[in-house]
Amino acid sequence: MPVIEVEHLHKRYGDKVAVEDVSFTVERGEIFGILGPNGAGKTTTVECLEGLRTPDRGRLSVLGLDPRSDRVELRQRVGVQLQEGRLQDKLRVGELIDLYAAFYREPADPERLLSTLGLAEHRNTAYKKLSGGQQQRLSIALALVGSPEVAVLDELTTGLDPQARRDTWDLIEAVRDRGVTILLVTHFMAEAERLCDRIAVIDAGRVVAVDTPAGLVAGVTDEQVVRFRPSAPLDPGALEALPEVRRVETRGGQLVVHGHGNVLHAVTSQLARLGVIAGDLRVEQAGLDDAFVALTGHRPE
Ligand SMILES: Nc1ncnc2c1ncn2[C@@H]1O[C@H](COP(=O)(O)OP(=O)(O)OP(=O)(O)O)[C@@H](O)[C@H]1O
């Protein structure tokens, strides 16, 4: 049975439709991403799953329970990363983690969690004295302190520096390896591509695609780009004649070949036949950001 089920969720605020029609399921042990531009309805969707908002229409199930009527039970089994500014400024890190641990039947070891997240030496620091990155890491610790079966993480690494971001990704993978199902809200392509087993792309309140990161990319484009600097003048027509090549551009001394399938092999074989050597050879494949643009019409931030 899926851990999370969302069927035809609809939610409006007054006249504003925030979620028009969202459906997806998340299986046990998955890292499932919700990816979309600003205002797409991502946070509204997860707040409905957390039981914080009541859907206008649609059916929701988390661990086989109803997020609204079974909220007390779900609070024990679902960890939620709180948004900025929802914690008491004056409480110290150690007090906050102990306080949160006390809410749960089977809490994780707070000390271990703080040291995993690099916060052990800040046990006595007040929340408001922490840096943005430290506050972010504390919010992750608090989401995990109840040993949840499901963790809902909204904008997991916003505000973290690149190293802290990579450390956090490693941590989330380790948490998943212990069997925790993770629902990750993000608008950060590299994060979604690196962490998520599957992604629902949401735009203007609707799911426009659900697939693996590679599946999303393959679904919108099979384009590959080969760039190189030829060792001798080369007629682009000699490459354009290849069935794998769609078009060739000349940029300065470089040739940029757009193609599909095994275009690299086709191009290098042709160059060998012509006695031309490819300098600075690079192959680029489409990434999740290209798929995102194709699916939503928005550029990633
Ligand atoms: N409490 C509210 N009252 C009125 N409109 C709201 C409220 N909360 C969200 N909205 C609107 O609903 C739409 C969806 O918002 P939501 O926060 O769910 O999107 P999001 O995808 O999480 O965006 P972001 O990435 O910017 O957080 C937006 O147009 C937003 O302005």
Side-chain angles (χ1 to χ4, degrees):
M1 192 180 68
V3 169
I4 297 174
E5 289 174 283
V6 179
E7 276 177 27
H8 302 300
L9 176 66
H10 181 97
K11 173 73 186 170
R12 63 164 70 221
Y13 302 105
D15 290 343
K16 169 82 201 163
V17 177
V19 175
E20 176 81 48
D21 184 9
V22 164
S23 303
F24 60 85
T25 55
V26 181
E27 302 296 329
R28 186 168 293 277
E30 269 194 306
I31 301 182
F32 188 92
I34 299 186
L35 184 68
N38 286 332
K42 306 182 294 294
T43 299
T44 302
T45 301
V46 294
E47 286 181 348
C48 289
L49 283 168
E50 291 162 9
L52 298 173
R53 297 195 183 276
T54 310
D56 298 322
R57 287 200 298 277
R59 197 183 73 81
L60 300 180
S61 154
V62 178
L63 295 165
L65 300 170
D66 180 282
R68 287 299 284 189
S69 52
D70 301 316
R71 208 170 146 192
V72 175
E73 173 65 16
L74 282 174
R75 205 175 286 160
Q76 287 292 326
R77 300 171 62 188
V78 178
V80 172
Q81 185 183 6
L82 293 175
Q83 295 292 290
E84 224 176 296
R86 297 233 186 128
L87 290 172
Q88 287 279 330
D89 278 353
K90 288 191 180 143
L91 287 182
R92 296 169 200 276
V93 168
E95 291 168 335
L96 277 164
I97 195 119
D98 289 344
L99 177 67
Y100 274 68
F103 295 151
Y104 296 99
R105 289 191 293 251
E106 291 170 37
D109 175 358
E111 288 307 323
R112 198 156 153 217
L113 208 46
L114 288 183
S115 82
T116 310
L117 282 154
L119 291 168
E121 67 271 35
H122 299 291
R123 228 185 174 285
N124 294 317
T125 310
Y127 177 74
K128 70 171 174 199
K129 294 271 170 68
L130 295 174
S131 70
Q134 289 162 348
Q135 290 185 352
Q136 184 83 352
R137 279 182 274 147
L138 180 60
S139 74
I140 297 168
L142 297 178
L144 299 176
V145 74
S147 309
E149 290 164 64
V150 178
V152 181
L153 306 170
D154 197 342
E155 301 300 343
L156 176 69
T157 61
T158 301
L160 296 189
D161 63 49
Q163 185 57 49
R165 183 169 278 163
R166 278 193 292 274
D167 291 347
T168 306
W169 291 344
D170 289 345
L171 170 78
I172 296 305
E173 280 175 335
V175 169
R176 186 273 296 279
D177 291 346
R178 293 206 298 269
V180 178
T181 305
I182 292 169
L183 184 64
L184 182 74
V185 179
T186 186
H187 57 256
F188 187 31
M189 299 298 140
E191 180 163 289
E193 201 154 20
R194 153 79 195 266
L195 278 184
C196 295
D197 299 304
R198 290 189 307 135
I199 296 170
V201 181
I202 298 189
D203 188 29
R206 289 176 180 274
V207 174
V208 292
V210 183
D211 209 333
T212 59
L216 289 173
V217 176
V220 298
T221 176
D222 62 352
E223 178 141 308
Q224 298 188 40
V225 177
V226 179
R227 294 169 189 269
F228 62 95
R229 205 172 288 284
S231 60
L234 179 67
D235 173 13
L239 299 177
E240 278 164 348
L242 299 167
E244 291 86 353
V245 172
R246 292 194 173 121
R247 65 194 167 89
V248 180
E249 294 167 60
T250 308
R251 283 204 203 137
Q254 260 199 351
L255 285 184
V256 183
V257 182
H258 298 260
H260 60 98
N262 207 346
V263 62
L264 176 64
H265 177 71
V267 167
T268 50
S269 306
Q270 182 76 316
L271 293 177
R273 275 194 291 276
L274 298 168
V276 175
I277 296 167
D280 301 335
L281 179 71
R282 283 211 327 245
V283 185
E284 290 159 18
Q285 284 177 332
L288 194 55
D289 40 0
D290 299 291
F292 185 81
V293 174
L295 288 164
T296 69
H298 296 270
R299 286 241 141 250
E301 280 172 28

